[in-house]
Amino acid sequence: MTTLRLILGDQLNIKHSWFKNQNKDVLYCMFEMRQETDYVVHHIQKVIGFFAAMRTFAKQLDKKGHNIAYFKITDKTNTQKLHKNLEKLIEQYQITTFEYIEPDEYRLDKQLKDFSKTISIKSQVYDSEHFYTNRFDLKKFFKGKKQYIMEYFYRDMRKKHNILVNNNEPEGGKWNYDKSNQKKWKGDPKIPHYVAFSNNVEDVIADIKKADIKTIGQCNDTLFEYPITREQALNQLKYFCENLLKYFGDYQDAMYTTESNLFHSRLSFALNLKLISAKNVTTTTLNYYSNHTAEIDISQVEGFIRQIIGWREYMRGMYWMLMPKLSKENYLENSNPLPDFYWTANTKMNCMKHAIQNSLNNAYAHHIQRLMVTGNYALLTQTNPDEVDNWYLGIYLDAIQWVQLPNTRGMSQFADGGKIATKPYVSSGSYIQKMSNYCEACYYNYKNKADDKACPFNSLYWHFLDEKRSHLKNNNRMRMMYHVLDNIKKDDLKAIKQRAKQIIATPNDF
């Protein structure tokens, strides 16, 4: 064997051109490493999911006749470091060419570029063949622009790829049905039970325990429910189209105490590991919609497609356009620690308890729980974005830095000063009450601002606006709220701010 090809844990694309033909001169390699399990504390289900999907993928390659060197986390030959494992194989097999697929994380991209410079053999980089866009397409698209508005990019994607357009105009007459995607779910229509795959992961869990990897959250002792193969991911997608798509758009922002998934697809983990591609998801969804237009409104499918070809591709492009500076941005100069209850869900705030407990139980929360509950609270309490980043990157199954960082530091925490989001995504308790049933059984009253039973989001919201006035006063989208703030009586604002300061000082008491 003369060529060594590296496959990272989020590059499990069996349809990649690498795997079309067998080649006895090519050795593929995959590594489970402490380098990857330890840079933040990950959810136990995230580590299980990656290892289980990687091991299954390696077996698929072997069955297809490819040569594969696989290092488990407990293998004695595993150095636990990427460059050392590669050096070991290069020497052992007298490799003359090293090849790898373009990583989607800046950290790994730099590590492999640096490694390639240190070796005396040839090296070559390949495209992941997964996304609609190339790494720096967004940078070209926004060249010369002062603002990087996703909507403009999204419309261009629709036109370029002929998605929900007729003669370059949007199907249905609108580009965006976001205003139709904000309904509160009240128990009807009924939500079908989610698809749960019975992936036996006892051996993976045993190895994680043997390696003594520090994790958070809970897991099933034997089974992993999310898809870990392309076939399972396609079945998940089929189930979504047949059972959930017709209601997805309406309730994509809704939250409910007894429902973890509502009408969401549960595809993000499979997508981010590249078990299926964005084109797979888009094409399948559009084909199903075109055959069922009598029962599925365009507002449902557009809301989903927007997440795949708009939001997801946009976040990746922004990540590569703004890195590495993005990872250190702290425009609002926030420095408070993340409250302990983010790791325990031990809080009297019902919305936070449910969103965090769901995260700890399932390594999952949908985008509004992440943005407008846990993210909103972290920003209102002026939490250090480094701590917020580490929590989001660790706790969610689908969290890989290219998608997590621009969402967290940019959109959720406004730490980039408005490059990704045109205003901070902050709200009082009224938004949470509007979109969920969380407030119904809460210890606090979402209508009150400053008394002992007042919803913490209320006092924190007005305190945040007042504290960050110098940073936000020139933001056009914030002017109306500053006008409202300026009309609050001085004594009332003083009481609001005193309560907010108490919450920030002793968050675990609330």
Side-chain angles (χ1 to χ4, degrees):
M1 289 174 279
T2 57
T3 299
L4 181 66
R5 285 179 168 176
L6 171 67
I7 304 169
L8 296 172
D10 65 340
Q11 296 178 339
L12 310 185
N13 177 11
I14 200 68
K15 293 295 184 179
H16 194 279
S17 57
W18 265 9
F19 311 123
K20 284 184 178 179
N21 302 306
Q22 300 169 19
N23 189 333
K24 62 181 179 59
D25 294 326
V26 173
L27 174 66
Y28 293 95
C29 63
M30 300 176 71
F31 312 126
E32 301 169 7
M33 297 176 291
R34 298 303 294 255
Q35 168 188 309
E36 299 304 300
T37 61
D38 295 2
Y39 66 93
V40 294
V41 180
H42 296 284
H43 198 291
I44 180 66
Q45 290 188 45
K46 184 179 182 183
V47 183
I48 292 170
F50 266 81
F51 285 4
M54 289 167 65
R55 292 182 185 188
T56 303
F57 190 80
K59 289 175 183 176
Q60 286 181 309
L61 291 184
D62 181 67
K63 190 175 181 180
K64 287 177 176 289
H66 299 287
N67 301 312
I68 178 78
Y70 192 97
F71 291 6
K72 292 184 178 180
I73 195 72
T74 52
D75 288 347
K76 291 182 180 179
T77 54
N78 189 348
T79 69
Q80 307 296 337
K81 294 184 182 298
L82 179 58
H83 66 284
K84 288 187 177 180
N85 282 344
L86 291 171
E87 288 170 353
K88 182 188 286 284
L89 291 176
I90 288 171
E91 182 180 359
Q92 180 180 347
Y93 292 96
Q94 297 181 309
I95 298 296
T96 57
T97 302
F98 170 58
E99 299 178 346
Y100 64 94
I101 294 170
E102 198 173 55
D104 288 308
E105 286 204 23
Y106 182 89
R107 168 182 61 91
L108 287 168
D109 188 65
K110 184 177 187 304
Q111 186 178 12
L112 285 169
K113 282 179 178 176
D114 291 345
F115 173 76
S116 296
K117 293 174 183 177
T118 66
I119 54 179
S120 58
I121 61 175
K122 294 185 294 184
S123 63
Q124 188 169 346
V125 186
Y126 290 80
D127 188 84
S128 68
E129 301 174 11
H130 172 80
F131 296 94
Y132 275 91
T133 53
N134 292 319
R135 186 182 279 182
F136 294 108
D137 279 357
L138 209 70
K139 186 175 182 179
K140 296 174 185 175
F141 181 81
F142 286 124
K143 186 177 180 180
K145 305 285 196 308
K146 291 183 178 180
Q147 288 187 307
Y148 314 124
I149 307 297
M150 189 199 80
E151 181 68 19
Y152 301 150
F153 164 74
Y154 168 57
R155 293 182 186 186
D156 184 70
M157 289 285 285
R158 290 264 298 273
K159 293 176 184 177
K160 186 179 294 182
H161 299 284
N162 195 32
I163 295 172
L164 296 176
V165 293
N166 294 314
N167 298 319
N168 243 20
E169 293 298 320
E171 187 176 328
K174 294 181 182 179
W175 286 107
N176 189 312
Y177 288 84
D178 185 55
K179 290 184 179 179
S180 302
N181 300 155
Q182 300 171 20
K183 292 184 180 178
K184 183 174 183 174
W185 188 74
K186 299 178 181 179
D188 191 65
K190 298 298 180 184
I191 301 171
H193 192 275
Y194 63 87
V195 175
F197 299 96
S198 299
N199 296 304
N200 190 295
V201 290
E202 289 178 276
D203 59 334
V204 175
I205 294 173
D207 285 346
I208 291 170
K209 289 180 178 177
K210 185 178 179 181
D212 196 26
I213 297 170
K214 183 180 179 182
T215 60
I216 56 173
Q218 292 81 42
C219 70
N220 185 294
D221 290 338
T222 58
L223 300 177
F224 183 76
E225 295 186 340
Y226 294 94
I228 60 170
T229 67
R230 176 177 171 80
E231 182 181 14
Q232 289 180 351
L234 291 172
N235 285 337
Q236 182 92 53
L237 175 58
K238 182 174 183 289
Y239 184 86
F240 169 73
C241 289
E242 293 175 353
N243 297 277
L244 305 171
L245 178 59
K246 61 184 176 182
Y247 300 121
F248 173 81
D250 283 350
Y251 302 106
Q252 65 174 292
D253 289 359
M255 299 173 285
Y256 203 81
T257 50
T258 57
E259 295 292 338
S260 299
N261 303 290
L262 284 100
F263 299 98
H264 289 265
S265 71
R266 288 170 59 94
L267 279 167
S268 55
F269 177 66
L271 262 170
N272 291 354
L273 263 62
K274 302 182 180 64
L275 297 174
I276 54 173
S277 71
K279 290 182 181 179
N280 291 152
V281 174
T282 301
T283 301
T284 300
T285 304
L286 291 175
N287 286 342
Y288 189 86
Y289 165 64
S290 66
N291 292 319
H292 298 84
T293 52
E295 61 182 273
I296 302 176
D297 189 82
I298 190 172
S299 65
Q300 313 296 337
V301 70
E302 187 278 322
F304 183 68
I305 294 297
R306 190 186 335 129
Q307 289 194 1
I308 305 299
I309 70 164
W311 168 83
R312 191 168 183 268
E313 299 279 334
Y314 172 81
M315 287 298 174
R316 176 175 180 255
M318 292 299 288
Y319 175 80
W320 285 106
M321 184 166 75
L322 300 176
M323 282 295 282
K325 186 179 178 182
L326 178 63
S327 65
K328 301 298 180 186
E329 294 266 33
N330 190 1
Y331 172 74
L332 294 175
E333 303 173 277
N334 291 334
S335 59
N336 291 323
L338 194 70
D340 293 343
F341 61 71
Y342 272 76
W343 308 97
T344 64
N346 186 19
T347 171
K348 294 195 290 286
M349 291 177 283
N350 208 30
C351 58
M352 292 291 284
K353 178 185 284 291
H354 278 279
I356 294 171
Q357 193 64 64
N358 186 36
S359 304
L360 291 169
N361 289 346
N362 304 307
Y364 172 81
H366 73 63
H367 63 284
I368 294 299
Q369 290 170 314
R370 300 186 200 195
L371 179 65
M372 299 308 300
V373 181
T374 53
N376 184 15
Y377 185 86
L379 181 52
L380 291 178
T381 52
Q382 302 170 46
T383 304
N384 187 325
D386 289 345
E387 295 201 23
V388 183
D389 272 339
N390 288 342
W391 187 79
Y392 277 95
L393 185 57
I395 202 167
Y396 291 119
L397 185 76
D398 56 13
I400 301 172
Q401 196 194 49
W402 69 265
V403 68
Q404 171 273 318
L405 186 69
N407 269 285
T408 304
R409 194 171 287 253
M411 189 172 186
S412 170
Q413 299 304 295
F414 204 72
D416 65 353
K419 296 181 180 71
I420 291 173
T422 54
K423 74 176 186 67
Y425 276 85
V426 288
S427 76
S428 63
S430 61
Y431 174 83
I432 296 168
Q433 191 276 333
K434 176 187 174 184
M435 296 307 303
S436 75
N437 72 332
Y438 289 156
C439 300
E440 291 175 11
C442 188
Y443 174 84
Y444 298 106
N445 189 324
Y446 74 91
K447 296 179 180 179
N448 299 356
K449 293 184 177 68
D451 60 60
D452 290 342
K453 284 294 188 75
C455 173
F457 280 87
N458 292 342
S459 48
L460 289 169
Y461 177 74
W462 296 109
H463 174 70
F464 172 83
L465 292 185
D466 193 53
E467 289 289 300
K468 302 301 178 182
R469 186 186 290 268
S470 62
H471 296 83
L472 303 173
K473 64 182 179 182
N474 294 323
N475 187 308
N476 288 332
R477 296 191 66 193
M478 299 296 292
R479 284 184 179 177
M480 184 180 75
M481 297 318 299
Y482 274 107
H483 177 71
V484 176
L485 174 66
D486 290 339
N487 284 324
I488 296 176
K489 295 178 180 178
K490 288 185 178 180
D491 287 347
D492 291 342
L493 183 59
K494 182 179 179 181
I496 288 170
K497 288 179 65 64
Q498 283 178 342
R499 177 165 170 78
K501 288 176 182 178
Q502 182 185 9
I503 295 168
I504 291 171
T506 59
N508 297 302
D509 293 341
F510 293 84

